[in-house]
């Protein structure tokens, strides 16, 4: 068919790149034809033909929409705060005072959530911090700090629930090339989920971490 002919003209590296971009496992594929067949089997997910489908979207647009739907449930909004006593006239009341917030993602089914250290840094200065993790379609969950590495700007939290969504699919950065498409899913201010699209603009960059020490091998979007 025309589709098979188009795919057959691609190199093995290009075929594997398509499969990686769409989170399709090909470890059992031994030959180039196996890679082609795997792409054809997952035509709805890969979107490599460019025609419009029944929804009026191109296959590329459909791929982006499906990726967002698949990834967003594992994206978390993280908030840090503390309870303070507020005096109003002759009465007092307890209020949650926010001290930090940011995004993260669900790493595994044990409830480990990965985020940046600067998101939860204020909690380390409190006696009784209130850390909450909000996942799509779920109420905020109380979280505890599992560990952190300030110089790498990374931290791990843990939540407990029987209704956790599927953890995010973790890819490999070793195959990335400048110019590849990038999708960034976030939940700014905990209001709603957002999607932005760009490209890998640089590899191996350095950014300053806490204390000015460089974080190496960063990916620039």
């Amino acid at each position: 068919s025309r589709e098979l002919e188009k795919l057959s003209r691609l190199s093995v590296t290009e075929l594997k790149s398509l499969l990686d971009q769409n989170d399709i496992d090909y470890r059992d594929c031994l030959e180039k034809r196996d890679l082609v067949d795997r792409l054809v089997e997952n035509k709805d997910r890969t979107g490599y033909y460019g025609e419009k489908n029944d929804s009026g979207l191109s296959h590329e647009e459909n791929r982006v929409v499906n990726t967002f739907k698949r990834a967003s449930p594992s994206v978390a909004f993280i908030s840090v705060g503390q309870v303070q006593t507020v005096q109003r006239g002759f009465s007092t009341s307890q209020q949650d005072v926010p001290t930090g917030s940011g995004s993260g993602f669900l790493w595994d089914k044990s409830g480990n959530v990965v985020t940046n250290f600067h998101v939860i840094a204020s909690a380390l200065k409190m006696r009784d911090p209130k850390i909450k993790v909000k996942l799509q379609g779920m109420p905020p969950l109380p979280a505890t700090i599992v560990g952190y590495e300030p110089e790498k700007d990374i931290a791990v939290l843990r939540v407990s629930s029987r209704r956790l969504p599927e953890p995010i699919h973790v890819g490999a950065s070793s195959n990335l090339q400048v110019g590849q498409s990038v999708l960034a899913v976030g939940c700014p201010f905990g209001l709603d989920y957002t999607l932005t699209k760009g490209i890998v603009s640089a590899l191996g960059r350095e950014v300053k971490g806490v204390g000015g020490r460089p974080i190496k091998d960063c990916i620039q979007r």
Side-chain angles (χ1 to χ4, degrees), residues 100-180:
S101 64
S103 296
F105 58 88
L106 183 64
W107 176 262
D108 57 26
K109 294 183 178 179
S110 298
N112 290 306
V113 176
V114 178
T115 187
N116 294 112
F117 170 74
H118 68 260
V119 172
I120 57 94
S122 61
L124 304 179
K125 303 174 184 178
M126 305 176 194
R127 179 176 299 178
D128 185 25
K130 305 297 181 183
I131 305 175
K132 294 181 180 181
V133 172
K134 177 74 171 67
L135 293 163
Q136 194 176 82
M138 299 180 63
L141 300 171
T144 57
I145 299 175
V146 176
Y148 53 87
E149 176 50 78
E151 293 182 356
K152 300 298 183 183
D153 196 23
I154 193 169
V156 178
L157 310 175
R158 182 170 296 155
V159 297
S160 179
S161 174
R162 296 180 179 179
R163 298 178 50 244
L164 290 176
E166 188 71 18
I168 199 164
H169 180 87
V170 180
S173 60
S174 58
N175 297 327
L176 285 179
Q177 299 182 50
V178 172
Q180 280 187 265

Side-chain angles (χ1 to χ4, degrees), residues 38-53:
R38 186 59 51 84
L39 280 166
V40 172
E41 291 168 4
N42 293 272
K43 177 179 177 180
D44 290 340
R45 288 177 60 185
T46 54
Y48 46 78
Y49 303 135
E51 303 104 347
K52 297 286 183 176
N53 55 29

Side-chain angles (χ1 to χ4, degrees), residues 80-86 94-100 126 130:
V80 181
Q82 61 181 337
V83 177
Q84 292 185 353
T85 301
V86 179
Q94 301 289 312
Q95 278 191 351
D96 286 334
V97 178
T99 61
M126 305 176 194
K130 305 297 181 183

Side-chain angles (χ1 to χ4, degrees), residues 2-103:
R2 182 169 60 88
E3 292 85 359
L4 285 174
E5 290 177 3
K6 290 173 64 176
L7 288 172
S8 297
R9 287 196 292 267
L10 299 177
S11 67
V12 170
T13 300
E14 289 171 326
L15 292 169
K16 288 183 177 180
S17 179
L18 271 175
L19 290 162
D20 283 331
Q21 290 173 25
N22 292 280
D23 299 332
I24 299 172
D25 188 10
Y26 57 86
R27 288 173 293 180
D28 59 330
C29 296
L30 302 178
E31 299 179 355
K32 179 179 178 179
R33 179 55 189 262
D34 298 328
L35 299 172
V36 172
D37 289 343
R38 186 59 51 84
L39 280 166
V40 172
E41 291 168 4
N42 293 272
K43 177 179 177 180
D44 290 340
R45 288 177 60 185
T46 54
Y48 46 78
Y49 303 135
E51 303 104 347
K52 297 286 183 176
N53 55 29
D54 292 340
S55 65
L57 302 176
S58 70
H59 285 289
E60 171 62 19
E61 291 170 331
N62 197 50
R63 184 183 69 83
V64 172
V65 170
N66 287 337
T67 300
F68 176 74
K69 289 179 178 179
R70 188 170 66 251
S72 57
S74 59
V75 175
F77 173 71
I78 298 157
S79 59
V80 181
Q82 61 181 337
V83 177
Q84 292 185 353
T85 301
V86 179
Q87 181 80 36
R88 286 196 178 90
F90 296 101
S91 63
T92 60
S93 62
Q94 301 289 312
Q95 278 191 351
D96 286 334
V97 178
T99 61
S101 64
S103 296

